Amino acid sequence: MAATRTKTAPAAAKPAAKAAVSKAAAGKAAARASGKTPLLTRDQELSAYREMLLIRRFEEKAGQMYGMGLIGGFCHLYIGQEAVVVGMQMASKQGDQVITGYRDHGHMLATGMSANGVMAELTGRRGGYSRGKGGSMHMFSAEKHFYGGHGIVGAQVSLGTGLAFANRYRGNDNVSLTYFGDGAANQGQVYESFNMAALWKLPVIYIIENNRYAMGTAVTRASAQTDFSKRGLSFNIPGEQVDGMDIRETYAAGLRAMEWCRSGKGPYILEMQTYRYRGHSMSDPAKYRSKDEVQKMRTEHDPIEQVRERLLKDWKVSEDELKAIDASVRDIVAESAEFATNDPEPDPSELWTDILK
């Protein structure tokens, strides 16, 4: 099946939103047929706004705490890319699994993991999801079906394919949402995974978060095929390019991909064309792109501002209501920072736990 193109970029919702998915499906189909941007309900827009804002404020605080020396090691922020994971979580159902690389804080929050637990892990405290031993790249929550951020580039693609194999083996209708970036898309294990997933028709969505610069090299300099939606064609895996800065597009694309996988047709590729505002990590000055380029994306394509403008203009939501949402999100983030600063460090005995012999 040839790769298709939806609206391209220029360059987790809560249960209430998920309950509206089936009701809105017919409208999404009509919108796709007419070529128009799909519409969300007022409640969906509000939920998406809050979820994306939570990720944005959390990452801003994490960057601040890193600068203060409270977070050590590596720290890769998701600022600018929020619409990708939030849209996909809106389209998912309970039981679908999520696995990603090291730019993972946003994915954790979108799956419903506690801000306190995530921030405490960043600061190496015992209340963290890995009891303070994993840091930014190594968190996991079986309860929330989050199977980790992974520091080895592309390693999660094979693991995500394995999650899909388990779903197929057990006969359930869960889908593995396997995230990786444009840089990881050139790794060999990615294509071995594509081949197996296509052979066995595994229910996995490969979500390529194309933020254009990998670790610091533009895709035009590093990739012979820059249309990542076509990367699965030799394995007969369909794909599409999606405006990853527009929550409406990521949600609608997620619904399409979920339907494909749940109907037993096998894997699907979504190239989310997105943009990170910060460098690859907190230690990256990002001198490989201009400040004007970053500012243009912030001004014209910010995923949160797009929703905010629609809420004000189309849904007549008041400024006071949006300010209240922002205040509640800031309270959550402030509490997580307070917890992560004052929670005790792990006991030295933790050095000998969780070790495979």
Side-chain angles (χ1 to χ4, degrees):
M1 177 176 176
T4 59
R5 179 184 291 269
T6 61
K7 174 185 173 187
T8 56
K14 296 299 181 244
K18 291 184 180 179
V21 169
S22 58
K23 187 175 181 180
K28 298 296 178 294
R32 292 198 301 274
S34 65
K36 296 180 180 179
T37 298
L39 301 178
L40 299 181
T41 66
R42 181 182 187 276
D43 287 346
Q44 286 176 315
E45 294 269 32
L46 279 170
S47 179
Y49 180 74
R50 182 193 178 281
E51 294 302 305
M52 289 194 291
L53 197 60
L54 174 60
I55 295 171
R56 177 73 58 89
R57 298 290 181 248
F58 182 94
E59 293 289 65
E60 289 171 346
K61 176 61 73 173
Q64 179 186 14
M65 293 176 70
Y66 185 93
M68 295 167 62
L70 296 171
I71 296 175
F74 295 97
C75 187
H76 305 81
L77 302 182
Y78 200 62
I79 296 175
Q81 300 183 210
E82 297 91 351
V84 177
V85 71
V86 172
M88 291 302 298
Q89 285 303 109
M90 287 174 66
S92 69
K93 72 170 185 63
Q94 180 69 23
D96 292 337
Q97 304 109 328
V98 173
I99 189 167
T100 188
Y102 40 74
R103 197 178 308 281
D104 53 2
H105 314 151
H107 301 73
M108 299 176 203
L109 295 174
T111 59
M113 291 171 65
S114 160
N116 284 12
V118 176
M119 193 70 85
E121 189 59 42
L122 294 181
T123 59
R125 305 307 173 105
R126 66 176 62 178
Y129 271 97
S130 296
R131 295 195 287 279
K133 300 187 292 183
S136 179
M137 297 188 203
H138 304 101
M139 289 185 238
F140 184 98
S141 175
E143 177 190 2
K144 299 300 182 181
H145 307 287
F146 179 76
Y147 288 83
H150 294 266
I152 303 301
V153 177
Q156 74 275 17
V157 180
S158 300
L159 296 173
T161 305
L163 291 171
F165 178 82
N167 293 335
R168 176 76 185 277
Y169 183 82
R170 291 166 178 157
N172 60 42
D173 68 343
N174 295 336
V175 174
S176 168
L177 309 184
T178 300
Y179 292 82
F180 56 105
D182 49 286
N186 293 322
Q187 291 286 319
Q189 67 265 37
V190 171
Y191 299 95
E192 296 175 27
S193 298
F194 284 0
N195 188 54
M196 287 188 285
L199 274 173
W200 297 331
K201 295 191 179 303
L202 303 183
V204 53
I205 303 174
Y206 295 112
I207 304 155
I208 304 174
E209 297 192 85
N210 179 6
N211 60 29
R212 307 187 194 183
Y213 289 101
M215 287 186 66
T217 303
V219 294
T220 52
R221 297 179 57 205
S223 298
Q225 172 55 273
T226 58
D227 185 342
F228 293 95
S229 70
K230 296 180 179 178
R231 291 299 184 95
L233 288 183
S234 60
F235 306 99
N236 295 318
I237 301 176
E240 59 181 283
Q241 290 182 318
V242 182
D243 183 351
M245 305 297 279
D246 190 332
I247 190 70
R248 299 168 300 179
E249 299 289 347
T250 61
Y251 170 53
L255 288 177
R256 291 192 293 275
M258 299 283 183
E259 181 182 4
W260 177 273
C261 290
R262 294 198 212 282
S263 63
K265 296 178 180 178
Y268 201 92
I269 292 175
L270 293 176
E271 179 197 345
M272 298 289 190
Q273 296 186 322
T274 185
Y275 197 86
R276 63 163 193 261
Y277 296 165
R278 303 290 184 92
H280 172 68
S281 69
M282 285 298 296
S283 60
D284 174 19
K287 294 181 178 180
Y288 40 81
R289 60 185 182 179
S290 69
K291 292 182 179 178
D292 288 343
E293 177 185 305
V294 178
Q295 186 57 39
K296 181 178 176 64
M297 292 298 295
R298 276 184 175 273
T299 303
E300 299 180 8
H301 305 288
D302 186 78
I304 299 175
E305 284 302 311
Q306 290 183 56
V307 177
R308 184 178 186 277
E309 290 177 9
R310 289 197 298 272
L311 286 170
L312 291 170
K313 181 180 178 181
D314 299 338
W315 297 110
K316 309 304 180 187
V317 176
S318 68
E319 285 277 6
D320 287 342
E321 188 173 353
L322 295 184
K323 287 179 181 179
I325 293 173
D326 192 15
S328 68
V329 163
R330 289 181 184 275
D331 286 344
I332 292 171
V333 172
E335 180 186 337
S336 73
E338 181 74 14
F339 178 75
T341 302
N342 297 304
D343 192 47
E345 293 185 353
D347 188 271
S349 63
E350 281 288 350
L351 287 169
W352 311 107
T353 63
D354 304 313
I355 298 174
L356 298 178
K357 297 181 179 179

